[in-house]
């Protein structure tokens, strides 16, 4: 891993930590503060997830320029998402164990499974793991993990539409745009493969 990648990953994680501590600095220490910290860090990690998840699609649809540069650094952006999302997990656990915030069992099971996938993707985001797993298995792991994380973000933001319509609609719109771009990129690659 290059030094610049390490700086990006650690910088994003530290920024997430800062974002999460803001409610504790400005509000009383209670359940709502803990929930606010968890929500804010989730939004921070969502930004990095969408960037990493869309990099290949953007470079396929509009080759060259900043899209190619962005694609070359996708691994660092993906690891930045993982770092930011584990900061979110920390604040989520503070809310549960420190302030007694209750969540449905499905949240623990589904979220726990996705965190295992994110950890596996982060641990295998290196050339040695690609060689060890083989390209197809490595690609399958990262595809399943990416779609699973997208499903959790989609469910979360769709659930926000009734009480926070601007946040919910905007976030779901970003997700749908990313899915559309991925579909268009897949179609372009398939047509290009047929042409050759």
């Amino acid at each position: 891993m290059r030094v610049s990648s390490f700086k990006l990953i650690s910088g994003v994680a530290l920024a997430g930590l800062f974002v999460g501590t803001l409610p504790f600095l400005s509000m009383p220490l209670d359940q709502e503060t803990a929930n606010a910290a968890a929500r804010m860090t989730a939004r921070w990690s969502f930004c990095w997830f969408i960037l990493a998840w869309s990099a290949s699609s953007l470079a396929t649809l509009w080759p060259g320029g900043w899209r190619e540069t962005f694609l070359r650094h996708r691994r660092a952006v993906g690891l930045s998402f993982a770092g930011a999302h584990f900061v979110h997990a920390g604040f989520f656990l503070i809310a549960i164990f420190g302030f007694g915030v209750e969540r449905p069992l499905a949240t623990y099971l589904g979220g726990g499974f996705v965190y295992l996938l994110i950890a596996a993707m982060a641990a295998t985001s290196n050339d040695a793991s690609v060689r060890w797993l083989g390209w197809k298995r490595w690609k399958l792991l990262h595809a399943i993990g990416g779609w699973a994380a997208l499903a959790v973000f989609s469910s979360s933001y769709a659930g926000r539409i009734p009480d926070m319509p601007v946040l919910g609609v905007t976030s779901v719109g970003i997700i749908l745009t990313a899915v559309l771009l991925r579909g268009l990129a897949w179609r372009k690659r398939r047509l290009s493969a047929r042409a050759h």
Side-chain angles (χ1 to χ4, degrees):
M1 186 185 305
R2 295 177 183 172
V3 174
S4 60
S5 296
F6 177 76
K7 286 180 180 177
L8 175 65
I9 295 162
S10 57
V12 168
L14 285 173
L17 190 59
F18 174 73
V19 166
T21 57
L22 286 177
F24 290 98
L25 299 175
S26 59
M27 298 165 62
L29 295 178
D30 58 15
Q31 283 189 357
E32 185 49 42
T33 306
N35 278 332
R39 283 193 304 267
M40 290 172 72
T41 52
R43 292 170 195 163
W44 175 247
S45 68
F46 171 70
C47 297
W48 292 94
F49 169 77
I50 283 294
L51 288 172
W53 203 74
S54 302
S56 178
S57 302
L58 292 169
T60 298
L61 293 170
W62 299 283
W66 63 268
R67 280 115 13 227
E68 293 291 336
T69 303
F70 184 48
L71 182 61
R72 281 196 305 272
H73 297 285
R74 179 174 60 172
R75 182 177 288 174
V77 176
L79 287 168
S80 296
F81 155 68
H85 211 54
F86 277 99
V87 168
H88 163 65
F91 283 106
F92 187 74
L93 292 173
I94 289 170
I96 293 168
F97 296 110
F99 295 95
V101 174
E102 295 185 10
R103 296 281 188 258
L105 181 61
T107 300
Y108 297 116
L109 297 177
F113 176 68
V114 172
Y115 268 106
L116 288 175
L117 289 173
I118 292 170
M121 288 191 296
T124 58
S125 287
N126 54 71
D127 294 337
S129 293
V130 176
R131 289 190 298 272
W132 178 66
L133 287 170
W135 171 250
K136 287 185 178 179
R137 283 187 295 247
W138 182 90
K139 186 74 175 168
L140 180 63
L141 168 65
H142 285 252
I144 291 170
W147 281 102
L150 186 80
V152 170
F153 280 121
S154 299
S155 173
S156 176
Y157 285 119
R160 290 279 174 200
I161 291 174
D163 58 328
M164 300 180 77
V166 173
L167 173 69
V169 170
T170 302
S171 301
V172 169
I174 290 168
I175 290 168
L176 291 174
T177 301
V179 171
L180 175 64
L181 290 175
R182 182 162 280 223
L184 292 172
W186 175 83
R187 183 174 179 272
K188 182 178 179 180
R189 284 191 293 268
R190 187 165 178 167
L191 291 174
S192 178
R194 281 182 182 173
H196 295 92

